Amino acid sequence: MDSNKSNFRKAKNKVEKLKRFYTHLGVYFMINTIITIVKVMSHMNIGGTFKEAFFSFSTMASWLIWGLVIAIHAFSVFGLPLIVGDDWEERKIQQFMNEEFEHNKKYK
């Protein structure tokens, strides 16, 4: 029974991480699209061309910087479990519990 609860908790945790990542990704695209439209329109209003406005560093900066954050987030959701394993969290919890048990046993 505990195994089922543990498996359910793990699965729910993975789903929550995925949900947060996909929400972050959606917000990234929506906000950066709005920023790009505003910057391009304001640049064109002062006489610039669409190409100059769209490919300027100030327009692309938020895509690039936030894109790096998205890449790190994606790595933590998809890549890190491949490297450290799915049971890494459980192993660490067990390690800390054992250390605490040994510490308490030593001082009793």
Side-chain angles (χ1 to χ4, degrees), residues 25-103:
L25 189 62
V27 169
Y28 165 77
F29 281 112
M30 284 189 298
I31 298 298
N32 279 305
T33 299
I34 293 168
I35 290 171
T36 300
I37 290 169
V38 168
K39 286 189 178 229
V40 167
M41 289 176 67
S42 65
H43 189 76
M44 289 175 67
N45 283 341
I46 58 172
T49 67
F50 174 80
K51 188 176 178 180
E52 290 172 342
F54 187 77
F55 291 107
S56 74
F57 180 74
S58 68
T59 304
M60 291 293 127
S62 65
W63 287 97
L64 294 172
I65 295 167
W66 199 348
L68 289 173
V69 174
I70 287 285
I72 292 167
H73 192 172
F75 177 75
S76 74
V77 172
F78 301 107
L80 197 58
L82 293 175
I83 294 171
V84 296
D86 283 340
D87 63 340
W88 173 83
E89 201 171 329
E90 202 169 286
R91 289 190 323 251
K92 277 296 177 189
I93 290 169
Q94 190 63 46
Q95 175 191 345
F96 293 144
M97 286 172 54
N98 290 341
E99 288 172 2
E100 187 66 27
F101 177 76
E102 291 298 319
H103 177 76

